[in-house]
Amino acid sequence: MLCDLDNVVRFYDTAPLAALERAAGLPEGTTTDIAYAPEVDLPLLLGRITPDAWVEAIVAGLAERRVGGDRARALARALADAPFRADEEAVSLLRRARAHVPVVLVTNATLQLDADLALLGLSDLADAVVSSAVEQVAKPDPAIYRIAAARAGVPPARCLFVDDRQENVDAATALGMTGVLFRDPDDLRRALGSCAEGAAASAGARPTAARPR
């Protein structure tokens, strides 16, 4: 089983950022629109720039929208430092699945991923982790799916791939994988079938804001 991390297992709380945007008279989502534009985000996800350099790129993008330097930096830092948590139901489902099949996390992530997983207590969640920043290739590039299948020790046609972005699922199915578009843990539960039996029910409220990856 190949599974995305962000917006499936890990969720970010961007409510503090939204409050800052409202205070600045900006539409909510302005900062993330700039931050996740491919020309700003992709260098970070491929391990070519540091998170601090990413913040400066966001600041520059906000400056083009006439946001002052101090305020732009506060907005960028609020996004970069947004708190995150793991969804306990998704974690429980993946741990249950791992008792039956290899589980590989396939994520567009930064070089801080190992530290983030340790902070979440999830260093042992998967048999392998395929990170875009380490492999220097990002979803939906077919190469990262092939790497993940190899880490799982099976051909692509025997892989189940779960992700919250349709373009990433489409890239997986184009390689012969079974793709599942994730919207909530029930999607993951249905995809896992008997492998999910006995997984715990949701242990808490889900975050209201998530970071797209």
Side-chain angles (χ1 to χ4, degrees):
M1 177 188 177
L2 314 182
C3 187
D4 184 26
L5 178 67
D6 289 327
N7 301 338
V8 176
V9 177
R10 175 171 65 172
F11 290 80
Y12 285 80
D13 179 8
T14 56
L17 170 61
L20 288 176
E21 289 178 329
R22 289 194 298 271
L26 294 172
E28 291 184 25
T30 297
T31 308
T32 54
D33 286 346
I34 292 168
Y36 299 137
E39 65 273 14
V40 175
D41 195 34
L42 193 56
L44 177 70
L45 299 180
L46 294 178
R48 296 172 182 169
I49 63 172
T50 65
D52 285 343
W54 181 59
V55 166
E56 292 307 312
I58 300 168
V59 171
L62 288 166
E64 293 178 359
R65 302 196 185 190
R66 301 185 183 278
V67 179
D70 290 345
R71 175 162 275 168
R73 186 158 280 101
L75 290 165
R77 287 253 59 106
L79 177 59
D81 299 335
F84 54 80
R85 56 159 286 187
D87 183 87
E88 293 184 18
E89 186 173 1
V91 170
S92 178
L93 287 165
L94 290 178
R95 290 198 187 282
R96 177 66 58 174
R98 194 179 173 203
H100 301 275
V101 296
V103 172
V104 179
L105 293 179
V106 190
T107 177
N108 288 351
T110 75
L111 291 172
Q112 296 175 247
L113 178 60
D114 286 346
D116 289 351
L117 290 174
L119 184 62
L120 290 166
L122 299 181
S123 296
D124 64 343
L125 180 63
D127 294 279
V129 177
V130 176
S131 165
S132 62
V134 173
E135 306 301 336
Q136 297 187 342
V137 61
K139 296 178 294 186
D141 189 311
I144 197 168
Y145 300 89
R146 294 190 180 100
I147 292 169
R151 300 280 168 83
V154 296
R158 291 187 58 194
C159 291
L160 169 70
F161 176 80
V162 179
D163 199 287
D164 68 300
R165 298 180 69 89
Q166 186 66 57
E167 61 266 36
N168 294 341
V169 173
D170 290 345
T173 58
L175 291 175
M177 296 181 179
T178 298
V180 174
L181 181 65
F182 180 93
R183 286 293 175 259
D184 60 52
D186 283 342
D187 295 322
L188 183 56
R189 188 185 301 276
R190 284 190 293 270
L192 291 173
S194 60
C195 290
E197 290 178 3
S202 179
R206 296 175 60 78
T208 57
R211 183 179 188 174
R213 280 287 190 233

